Amino acid sequence: MTFRPEKTWRLLAILLAFAMVAAACGNGDDDTATTSAGGDAGGGDAQPFAGEVVNVFGAFVDADADAFADTVAPFEAATGIDVVYEGSGDFETQIGIRINGGNAPDIAMFPQPGLWANFIDDMIDFNDLGVDMDQARADLSDYLVELPGQVAADTGNARDGVFGGWFRLNTKSWLWIPVPEFADAGYTVPETWDDLLALQDQILADGNTPWCLGIESAGATGWVLTDWMEDIVLRTAGPDVYDDWVSNGIPFNDPEIAKAAQFLGDVMFPEGNVLGGTDGILATPFGDQNTPMFDDTPACYLAKQAGFITGFFPDGTFGPGVDNQTEAIPFPSIDGSGDVMLGGGDLFGVFSDAGAVAETVKFLVSPEGGEGFAQAQAGYLSPNSRFDTSNYVDPFQKQQGELLAGALGAGGFRFDASDLMPAAVGAGTFWTGMVEYVQGGPDSLDDVLQSIQDSWPSS
Amino acid sequence: MSVAYEIGMGEEARPKTLMERILDRWLVKLIVVIIAVLWLVPTAGLLVSSFRPADAITTSGWWTVFDKLADSRTWTIENYRQVMNADGMGNAFLNSLAVTIPATVIPITIAAFAAYAFAWMDFRGRQVLFVVVVGLMVVPLQMALIPLLKIYTGGANAFGIPIIPDLDLSGTYMGVWLAHTGFGLPLAIYLLRNYIGSLPASMMESASIDGASHFQTFIRLVVPISVPAIASFAIFQFLWVWNDFLVALVFLGGTPDVSVVTIKLAELVGSRGQDWQVLTAGAFVTMILPLTVFFGLQRFFVRGLTAGSVKG
């Protein structure tokens, strides 16, 4: 076969020309975007920051990213600032590359406070941005305002000032039950841990399986059970002991923590108590955990998972305009524990002191900062006590919002402990330890807790 | 190659037994078929899954569809609808092309020149330079991300003297083209040098006697007969850049106006991975172009790979 050089060259030339056109089109889009932004901005003198761009980088993507665009739209219209959000599922590695590479975003939203603390030296103090911290403290609760500083201190990154703001929270202390089958079977919603254990026995006695529990999450397998532990510790030992536990003020093998693990064992280990037994716990992806509950005859009657699990439910089982087949009930109280709620949230740091950035930060911490987000995404919960709850459009969102506000007001809200602990533990041995506990059974508990404690970084 | 070679030798030595003839004809084919099937089964499963509803994927394996092929509940195009209708998917395709084509053409052009120089031009330190270039292949590109980004955003200074000016390349197409060029060059130069170096020396000599300069020899002679090697590397580079997620995310970013297909796809899965079923359809949507390129250039592909290795 002979090659025809002219032909090949022509092909290459066409390809190259095509690419240049594509690139030009891309740039063309940029141009129109800027001009239209400029056009809007030119509208009036009321926009003090017309045409300025604020870059926000975060971990949430897709529908959440659209919701963020909704939430800043009124702010953009009022100020002329163009808030450009970029989300990446790879946020944890990307943010390090960008900051170290000198390409930090103006504002970054960290899902893990521990990660946030790593970059505290590059951040701008909220006081220097002109944020009213007294108001913020009143709005957010002492715990939330002080938590970032505490995390920074615990991770050896202590720095004077305020460097973290809260944008949104989520809640984790929820059990899920099938409706109407749960009530039809004669079961009542457990108010206390004793109720829960009694209910377990009742379900077992009826020949049914009480729990659906699945923790498989690839490299992060184990976090589902760390959430369980946290919810139980928060109730059996109380928020103060919980804080000590997070900072390793009490060791991991403290009797209080061991007690919580035994409570968890009372759910996981009894014969027939969990669908699929301990093998099922380890092999079922956390997102599929609740699915058997939607069978015509529910394969289980109880499951525990954070509020975001609704995103994993099969279509047509839960949500607006649907005949709900499941319902969330609060995690039962233990030994009279009060208003407590386990949760997580997005903590943002600021890397630029430009006027437009300061203005954006003030908007994000204001009660209005999350309104558009709340309306667009039922997963959004505001950390701000002055937030107008009529923006919660979904019943479950309202339910979460009420319990969250109650717990924040009573000082009983606690952030996910594994996200606050040093990564070696919180995203390492605590996860693997829980997996070993499932595999090893009740007798392995002492060894597991001891080995987690041994892995705590000495600093 | 070696299998075929040994069998060929045996044929000349003595007549073959029936068994050997069966082995000749079928064993190799059988092994090829088995390997092909092993490789294709997961892909076929993915294809089947991409047409199944999300609930069905979670509750049963893709092979169970063969029991209920005609059932309308078994099949859906919802996943494809979700991918194709996603905001900015068309734009992402254009962005991917705008990144991929120059990021394929530029390194090949440079590599072809360099390969010719390494193979046929005499200059001091040629071998050392070549070894350094080849040695660069072992450096993981991840190591270069942060330093390169620093240069893009702030230039580089040595002892207060600017060596590389601050070109503000971060977030531009030029920035990502350069990055891909740098990451692709060592392998490109190595492959092309091997091919161009194996061309007969007599050919170069006669070109030189006829009065051709190095440049003329390269353009008129070497490039036309190196097309198989160039095309086969073009496919490699094209597929690598098209499927690349990391380099694009670091140097171009994920904002909607510049995000490429891979980044768009990763976003579709949702903040907590709840919509992972769209990945099945997304994989096939993004595969269309690479497959077209591969089948379009495949006659070069096989030739190019073998041409360099078995010559002489």
Side-chain angles (χ1 to χ4, degrees), chain A residues 128-205:
Chain A
D128 297 343
L129 292 170
V131 176
D132 182 350
M133 285 315 298
D134 293 332
Q135 183 65 52
R137 189 175 284 269
D139 286 350
L140 293 176
S141 81
D142 288 343
Y143 174 73
L144 283 182
V145 171
E146 282 161 20
L147 179 62
Q150 186 62 43
V151 174
D154 286 349
T155 52
N157 295 297
R159 191 180 166 199
D160 283 338
V162 178
F163 298 93
W166 295 97
F167 175 64
R168 65 168 183 172
L169 297 179
N170 55 64
T171 59
K172 293 181 179 250
S173 306
W174 298 100
L175 297 184
W176 296 90
I177 56 173
V179 287
E181 294 90 344
F182 189 84
D184 289 353
Y187 304 140
T188 49
V189 170
E191 302 274 335
T192 67
W193 188 260
D194 292 335
D195 289 351
L196 186 71
L197 294 182
L199 175 63
Q200 265 184 197
D201 293 339
Q202 189 186 354
I203 296 173
L204 275 172

Side-chain angles (χ1 to χ4, degrees), chain A residues 365-408:
Chain A
V365 297
S366 73
E368 292 79 32
E371 285 183 352
F373 209 123
Q375 290 164 13
Q377 275 300 94
Y380 179 89
L381 301 172
S382 173
N384 197 309
S385 60
R386 287 191 294 141
F387 184 77
D388 178 3
T389 52
S390 67
N391 289 299
Y392 291 150
V393 288
D394 175 79
F396 178 51
Q397 191 182 17
K398 270 196 165 50
Q399 188 187 1
Q400 293 185 86
E402 278 166 21
L403 255 74
L404 176 66
L408 276 172

Side-chain angles (χ1 to χ4, degrees), chain A residues 24-47:
Chain A
C25 286
N27 290 337
D29 289 350
D30 288 353
D31 292 346
T32 46
T34 3
T35 16
S36 69
D40 294 346
D45 306 330
Q47 300 183 318

